[in-house]
Amino acid sequence: YLIREKVKLRDVTDETRELLVAGPQSAAVLQHLLGIEAPAKPQANLVTSDGVIVVRSEWSPEPNWVLVGPATAIDAIWAKLN
């Protein structure tokens, strides 16, 4: 393939985080932590006001969501979970 667009890639590993929230109460936990109704359909997603992408996943038989976003936002969610 020949890509004719000028694309710049940048490593954002240190700036981003990913978190899996799973289990029978995970939708309620997301509602409590983020004030959102978690997407119900597989692969449905939304973006919170602080830039966290919430995606309904099918990684396990339990209800689960993947959260991806700025490290500060995901770290704050993690701290609330602990």
Side-chain angles (χ1 to χ4, degrees), residues 36-39 44-48 52-55:
I36 57 134
E37 186 173 333
N45 65 78
L46 60 83
V47 179
T48 66
V52 175
I53 301 167
V54 180
V55 181

Side-chain angles (χ1 to χ4, degrees), residues 17-69:
R17 301 276 190 278
E18 180 176 286
L19 177 66
L20 177 68
V21 179
Q25 300 301 318
S26 55
V29 168
L30 290 176
Q31 171 104 28
H32 176 73
L33 289 177
L34 304 176
I36 57 134
E37 186 173 333
K41 294 183 180 180
Q43 302 305 314
N45 65 78
L46 60 83
V47 179
T48 66
S49 61
D50 55 358
V52 175
I53 301 167
V54 180
V55 181
R56 174 69 164 91
S57 173
E58 295 182 316
W59 286 1
S60 76
E62 294 288 337
N64 63 95
W65 288 265
V66 176
L67 284 62
V68 179

Side-chain angles (χ1 to χ4, degrees), residues 14-17 50-52 69-80:
D14 294 335
E15 303 166 26
T16 58
R17 301 276 190 278
D50 55 358
V52 175
T72 54
I74 299 294
D75 289 348
I77 294 167
W78 178 250
K80 290 178 185 177

